[in-house]
Short mmCIF file of all heavy atoms in Angstrom, two decimals:
data_model
loop_
_atom_site.label_atom_id
_atom_site.label_comp_id
_atom_site.label_asym_id
_atom_site.label_seq_id
_atom_site.Cartn_x
_atom_site.Cartn_y
_atom_site.Cartn_z
N LEU H 1 -26.73 10.75 58.71
CA LEU H 1 -26.39 11.31 57.40
C LEU H 1 -25.21 10.57 56.78
O LEU H 1 -25.21 10.27 55.58
CB LEU H 1 -26.07 12.80 57.53
CG LEU H 1 -25.67 13.53 56.26
CD1 LEU H 1 -26.80 13.50 55.24
CD2 LEU H 1 -25.26 14.95 56.57
N ALA H 2 -24.20 10.24 57.58
CA ALA H 2 -23.04 9.51 57.07
C ALA H 2 -23.44 8.13 56.56
O ALA H 2 -22.99 7.69 55.49
CB ALA H 2 -21.98 9.39 58.16
N ARG H 3 -24.31 7.43 57.31
CA ARG H 3 -24.78 6.11 56.87
C ARG H 3 -25.53 6.22 55.55
O ARG H 3 -25.35 5.42 54.64
CB ARG H 3 -25.69 5.48 57.92
CG ARG H 3 -24.95 4.94 59.11
CD ARG H 3 -25.88 4.19 60.05
NE ARG H 3 -25.16 3.70 61.19
CZ ARG H 3 -25.45 3.99 62.45
NH1 ARG H 3 -26.48 4.75 62.72
NH2 ARG H 3 -24.72 3.51 63.43
N ARG H 4 -26.40 7.22 55.46
CA ARG H 4 -27.17 7.42 54.23
C ARG H 4 -26.24 7.67 53.05
O ARG H 4 -26.43 7.11 51.97
CB ARG H 4 -28.13 8.59 54.39
CG ARG H 4 -28.98 8.81 53.15
CD ARG H 4 -29.84 10.04 53.20
NE ARG H 4 -30.52 10.23 54.46
CZ ARG H 4 -30.93 11.42 54.91
NH1 ARG H 4 -30.74 12.49 54.20
NH2 ARG H 4 -31.55 11.51 56.06
N ARG H 5 -25.22 8.50 53.25
CA ARG H 5 -24.28 8.79 52.15
C ARG H 5 -23.50 7.56 51.72
O ARG H 5 -23.29 7.33 50.53
CB ARG H 5 -23.32 9.90 52.57
CG ARG H 5 -23.95 11.26 52.58
CD ARG H 5 -22.94 12.33 52.88
NE ARG H 5 -23.56 13.63 52.83
CZ ARG H 5 -22.89 14.76 52.97
NH1 ARG H 5 -21.60 14.74 53.19
NH2 ARG H 5 -23.53 15.90 52.91
N VAL H 6 -23.07 6.75 52.68
CA VAL H 6 -22.32 5.53 52.34
C VAL H 6 -23.21 4.57 51.55
O VAL H 6 -22.78 3.99 50.55
CB VAL H 6 -21.77 4.86 53.62
CG1 VAL H 6 -21.27 3.46 53.33
CG2 VAL H 6 -20.65 5.71 54.21
N ILE H 7 -24.46 4.41 51.98
CA ILE H 7 -25.37 3.52 51.27
C ILE H 7 -25.60 4.02 49.84
O ILE H 7 -25.54 3.25 48.88
CB ILE H 7 -26.71 3.39 52.03
CG1 ILE H 7 -26.49 2.58 53.31
CG2 ILE H 7 -27.78 2.75 51.17
CD1 ILE H 7 -27.67 2.61 54.26
N LEU H 8 -25.85 5.32 49.70
CA LEU H 8 -26.10 5.87 48.37
C LEU H 8 -24.87 5.75 47.47
O LEU H 8 -24.99 5.45 46.27
CB LEU H 8 -26.55 7.32 48.47
CG LEU H 8 -27.93 7.55 49.09
CD1 LEU H 8 -28.24 9.04 49.20
CD2 LEU H 8 -29.01 6.85 48.30
N LYS H 9 -23.69 5.95 48.02
CA LYS H 9 -22.46 5.81 47.22
C LYS H 9 -22.27 4.36 46.78
O LYS H 9 -21.88 4.11 45.64
CB LYS H 9 -21.24 6.27 48.02
CG LYS H 9 -21.14 7.78 48.13
CD LYS H 9 -19.93 8.18 48.96
CE LYS H 9 -19.87 9.68 49.13
NZ LYS H 9 -18.71 10.10 49.92
N ASN H 10 -22.54 3.41 47.67
CA ASN H 10 -22.40 2.00 47.30
C ASN H 10 -23.41 1.61 46.22
O ASN H 10 -23.06 0.89 45.28
CB ASN H 10 -22.57 1.10 48.52
CG ASN H 10 -21.38 1.15 49.44
OD1 ASN H 10 -20.29 1.56 49.06
ND2 ASN H 10 -21.58 0.75 50.68
N VAL H 11 -24.63 2.08 46.35
CA VAL H 11 -25.65 1.78 45.33
C VAL H 11 -25.23 2.37 43.99
O VAL H 11 -25.33 1.72 42.95
CB VAL H 11 -27.03 2.31 45.78
CG1 VAL H 11 -28.03 2.29 44.63
CG2 VAL H 11 -27.55 1.51 46.95
N PHE H 12 -24.75 3.60 44.01
CA PHE H 12 -24.34 4.23 42.76
C PHE H 12 -23.16 3.51 42.13
O PHE H 12 -23.10 3.33 40.91
CB PHE H 12 -24.02 5.71 42.98
CG PHE H 12 -23.78 6.45 41.71
CD1 PHE H 12 -24.83 6.75 40.85
CD2 PHE H 12 -22.50 6.84 41.34
CE1 PHE H 12 -24.62 7.41 39.67
CE2 PHE H 12 -22.28 7.51 40.16
CZ PHE H 12 -23.35 7.80 39.32
N ARG H 13 -22.20 3.09 42.96
CA ARG H 13 -21.06 2.33 42.41
C ARG H 13 -21.52 1.04 41.75
O ARG H 13 -21.01 0.65 40.69
CB ARG H 13 -20.06 2.01 43.53
CG ARG H 13 -19.18 3.16 43.90
CD ARG H 13 -18.09 2.74 44.88
NE ARG H 13 -17.49 3.91 45.45
CZ ARG H 13 -17.47 4.20 46.74
NH1 ARG H 13 -18.00 3.38 47.62
NH2 ARG H 13 -16.92 5.32 47.17
N MET H 14 -22.47 0.34 42.37
CA MET H 14 -23.00 -0.88 41.76
C MET H 14 -23.69 -0.57 40.43
O MET H 14 -23.53 -1.31 39.46
CB MET H 14 -23.98 -1.58 42.72
CG MET H 14 -23.31 -2.23 43.91
SD MET H 14 -24.39 -3.25 44.96
CE MET H 14 -25.87 -2.30 45.10
N MET H 15 -24.44 0.52 40.39
CA MET H 15 -25.12 0.89 39.15
C MET H 15 -24.11 1.19 38.04
O MET H 15 -24.30 0.78 36.89
CB MET H 15 -26.02 2.10 39.39
CG MET H 15 -27.21 1.81 40.28
SD MET H 15 -28.13 3.28 40.75
CE MET H 15 -28.91 3.68 39.21
N VAL H 16 -23.04 1.91 38.36
CA VAL H 16 -22.02 2.23 37.36
C VAL H 16 -21.31 0.96 36.90
O VAL H 16 -21.02 0.80 35.71
CB VAL H 16 -21.01 3.27 37.92
CG1 VAL H 16 -19.80 3.42 37.03
CG2 VAL H 16 -21.70 4.62 38.11
N THR H 17 -21.04 0.05 37.82
CA THR H 17 -20.39 -1.21 37.46
C THR H 17 -21.25 -2.01 36.48
O THR H 17 -20.76 -2.51 35.46
CB THR H 17 -20.10 -2.05 38.72
OG1 THR H 17 -19.28 -1.28 39.60
CG2 THR H 17 -19.41 -3.35 38.38
N VAL H 18 -22.54 -2.11 36.77
CA VAL H 18 -23.45 -2.82 35.86
C VAL H 18 -23.51 -2.11 34.51
O VAL H 18 -23.47 -2.75 33.45
CB VAL H 18 -24.86 -2.96 36.49
CG1 VAL H 18 -25.87 -3.48 35.48
CG2 VAL H 18 -24.80 -3.86 37.71
N TYR H 19 -23.56 -0.79 34.52
CA TYR H 19 -23.57 0.01 33.29
C TYR H 19 -22.33 -0.30 32.43
O TYR H 19 -22.44 -0.54 31.23
CB TYR H 19 -23.63 1.49 33.67
CG TYR H 19 -23.34 2.46 32.55
CD1 TYR H 19 -24.32 2.77 31.62
CD2 TYR H 19 -22.10 3.09 32.44
CE1 TYR H 19 -24.07 3.68 30.60
CE2 TYR H 19 -21.84 3.99 31.43
CZ TYR H 19 -22.82 4.28 30.51
OH TYR H 19 -22.56 5.17 29.50
N LEU H 20 -21.17 -0.30 33.06
CA LEU H 20 -19.92 -0.56 32.32
C LEU H 20 -19.88 -1.99 31.79
O LEU H 20 -19.49 -2.21 30.63
CB LEU H 20 -18.71 -0.28 33.21
CG LEU H 20 -18.49 1.20 33.56
CD1 LEU H 20 -17.36 1.33 34.57
CD2 LEU H 20 -18.21 2.01 32.31
N LEU H 21 -20.28 -2.96 32.60
CA LEU H 21 -20.25 -4.36 32.17
C LEU H 21 -21.20 -4.61 30.99
O LEU H 21 -20.82 -5.21 29.98
CB LEU H 21 -20.57 -5.30 33.33
CG LEU H 21 -19.51 -5.41 34.42
CD1 LEU H 21 -20.04 -6.24 35.59
CD2 LEU H 21 -18.24 -6.02 33.87
N VAL H 22 -22.43 -4.14 31.13
CA VAL H 22 -23.42 -4.39 30.07
C VAL H 22 -23.02 -3.68 28.78
O VAL H 22 -23.07 -4.27 27.69
CB VAL H 22 -24.82 -3.97 30.55
CG1 VAL H 22 -25.82 -3.95 29.39
CG2 VAL H 22 -25.31 -4.88 31.66
N ASN H 23 -22.60 -2.43 28.88
CA ASN H 23 -22.26 -1.70 27.66
C ASN H 23 -20.97 -2.21 27.04
O ASN H 23 -20.83 -2.21 25.81
CB ASN H 23 -22.22 -0.20 27.92
CG ASN H 23 -23.61 0.38 28.04
OD1 ASN H 23 -24.46 0.15 27.20
ND2 ASN H 23 -23.85 1.10 29.13
N THR H 24 -20.04 -2.69 27.83
CA THR H 24 -18.84 -3.34 27.27
C THR H 24 -19.24 -4.60 26.52
O THR H 24 -18.74 -4.87 25.42
CB THR H 24 -17.84 -3.67 28.39
OG1 THR H 24 -17.49 -2.46 29.07
CG2 THR H 24 -16.59 -4.32 27.84
N PHE H 25 -20.16 -5.36 27.09
CA PHE H 25 -20.66 -6.56 26.42
C PHE H 25 -21.37 -6.20 25.11
O PHE H 25 -21.18 -6.88 24.08
CB PHE H 25 -21.61 -7.32 27.36
CG PHE H 25 -22.17 -8.57 26.77
CD1 PHE H 25 -21.35 -9.68 26.53
CD2 PHE H 25 -23.51 -8.67 26.44
CE1 PHE H 25 -21.86 -10.84 25.98
CE2 PHE H 25 -24.03 -9.83 25.89
CZ PHE H 25 -23.20 -10.92 25.66
N LEU H 26 -22.15 -5.13 25.10
CA LEU H 26 -22.83 -4.71 23.86
C LEU H 26 -21.83 -4.27 22.79
O LEU H 26 -21.99 -4.58 21.60
CB LEU H 26 -23.83 -3.59 24.15
CG LEU H 26 -25.06 -3.98 24.96
CD1 LEU H 26 -25.92 -2.75 25.26
CD2 LEU H 26 -25.86 -5.06 24.28
N VAL H 27 -20.79 -3.57 23.20
CA VAL H 27 -19.75 -3.17 22.23
C VAL H 27 -19.03 -4.41 21.71
O VAL H 27 -18.72 -4.51 20.51
CB VAL H 27 -18.75 -2.16 22.87
CG1 VAL H 27 -17.55 -1.93 21.99
CG2 VAL H 27 -19.47 -0.84 23.18
N PHE H 28 -18.79 -5.38 22.58
CA PHE H 28 -18.15 -6.64 22.15
C PHE H 28 -19.02 -7.35 21.10
O PHE H 28 -18.53 -7.84 20.09
CB PHE H 28 -17.91 -7.54 23.37
CG PHE H 28 -17.36 -8.88 23.02
CD1 PHE H 28 -16.03 -9.04 22.65
CD2 PHE H 28 -18.18 -10.01 23.05
CE1 PHE H 28 -15.53 -10.28 22.32
CE2 PHE H 28 -17.69 -11.25 22.73
CZ PHE H 28 -16.35 -11.40 22.36
N ILE H 29 -20.34 -7.39 21.36
CA ILE H 29 -21.26 -7.99 20.38
C ILE H 29 -21.19 -7.23 19.06
O ILE H 29 -21.15 -7.81 17.97
CB ILE H 29 -22.70 -8.04 20.94
CG1 ILE H 29 -22.79 -9.04 22.07
CG2 ILE H 29 -23.71 -8.38 19.84
CD1 ILE H 29 -24.13 -9.04 22.78
N TRP H 30 -21.20 -5.92 19.12
CA TRP H 30 -21.12 -5.09 17.93
C TRP H 30 -19.84 -5.39 17.14
O TRP H 30 -19.86 -5.49 15.92
CB TRP H 30 -21.20 -3.61 18.29
CG TRP H 30 -20.98 -2.68 17.15
CD1 TRP H 30 -21.88 -2.37 16.18
CD2 TRP H 30 -19.79 -1.97 16.86
NE1 TRP H 30 -21.31 -1.49 15.29
CE2 TRP H 30 -20.02 -1.23 15.69
CE3 TRP H 30 -18.53 -1.88 17.47
CZ2 TRP H 30 -19.06 -0.42 15.12
CZ3 TRP H 30 -17.58 -1.07 16.90
CH2 TRP H 30 -17.83 -0.35 15.74
N LEU H 31 -18.72 -5.54 17.86
CA LEU H 31 -17.44 -5.80 17.20
C LEU H 31 -17.39 -7.18 16.55
O LEU H 31 -16.83 -7.34 15.46
CB LEU H 31 -16.29 -5.69 18.21
CG LEU H 31 -15.88 -4.27 18.62
CD1 LEU H 31 -14.88 -4.34 19.76
CD2 LEU H 31 -15.32 -3.50 17.45
N THR H 32 -17.96 -8.18 17.21
CA THR H 32 -17.81 -9.55 16.72
C THR H 32 -18.94 -10.02 15.82
O THR H 32 -18.71 -10.68 14.81
CB THR H 32 -17.70 -10.52 17.91
OG1 THR H 32 -18.85 -10.40 18.72
CG2 THR H 32 -16.45 -10.27 18.71
N VAL H 33 -20.17 -9.71 16.14
CA VAL H 33 -21.32 -10.28 15.44
C VAL H 33 -21.86 -9.35 14.36
O VAL H 33 -22.15 -9.78 13.25
CB VAL H 33 -22.43 -10.66 16.44
CG1 VAL H 33 -23.67 -11.17 15.72
CG2 VAL H 33 -21.92 -11.67 17.44
N ALA H 34 -21.99 -8.09 14.67
CA ALA H 34 -22.69 -7.18 13.77
C ALA H 34 -21.86 -6.76 12.57
O ALA H 34 -22.37 -6.10 11.68
CB ALA H 34 -23.15 -5.95 14.55
N GLY H 35 -20.62 -7.07 12.55
CA GLY H 35 -19.78 -6.73 11.41
C GLY H 35 -19.41 -5.27 11.34
O GLY H 35 -19.10 -4.76 10.26
N ARG H 36 -19.40 -4.61 12.42
CA ARG H 36 -18.96 -3.21 12.52
C ARG H 36 -19.72 -2.27 11.59
O ARG H 36 -19.16 -1.41 10.96
CB ARG H 36 -17.47 -3.10 12.25
CG ARG H 36 -16.62 -3.76 13.28
CD ARG H 36 -15.20 -3.42 13.06
NE ARG H 36 -14.38 -4.14 14.00
CZ ARG H 36 -13.17 -3.79 14.30
NH1 ARG H 36 -12.62 -2.76 13.74
NH2 ARG H 36 -12.48 -4.48 15.17
N GLY H 37 -21.02 -2.41 11.57
CA GLY H 37 -21.84 -1.47 10.80
C GLY H 37 -22.06 -0.22 11.62
O GLY H 37 -21.13 0.31 12.24
N GLU H 38 -23.28 0.24 11.61
CA GLU H 38 -23.62 1.41 12.42
C GLU H 38 -23.38 1.07 13.89
O GLU H 38 -23.72 -0.01 14.36
CB GLU H 38 -25.08 1.77 12.19
CG GLU H 38 -25.52 2.97 12.97
CD GLU H 38 -26.99 3.29 12.81
OE1 GLU H 38 -27.61 2.83 11.84
OE2 GLU H 38 -27.52 3.98 13.68
N PHE H 39 -22.84 2.04 14.64
CA PHE H 39 -22.51 1.80 16.06
C PHE H 39 -23.78 1.93 16.91
O PHE H 39 -24.04 2.94 17.53
CB PHE H 39 -21.43 2.78 16.53
CG PHE H 39 -20.92 2.50 17.91
CD1 PHE H 39 -20.22 1.34 18.19
CD2 PHE H 39 -21.15 3.39 18.96
CE1 PHE H 39 -19.76 1.08 19.48
CE2 PHE H 39 -20.69 3.14 20.24
CZ PHE H 39 -19.98 1.98 20.49
#
């Protein structure tokens, strides 16, 4: 059970990291390219 929990926590952390990186990149594109129209 402990091994399963550690694996699931690591997978979830990776998913959150990818989520933050991609969405930060999308906000950066919105700020620089799109001219700050609709968010």
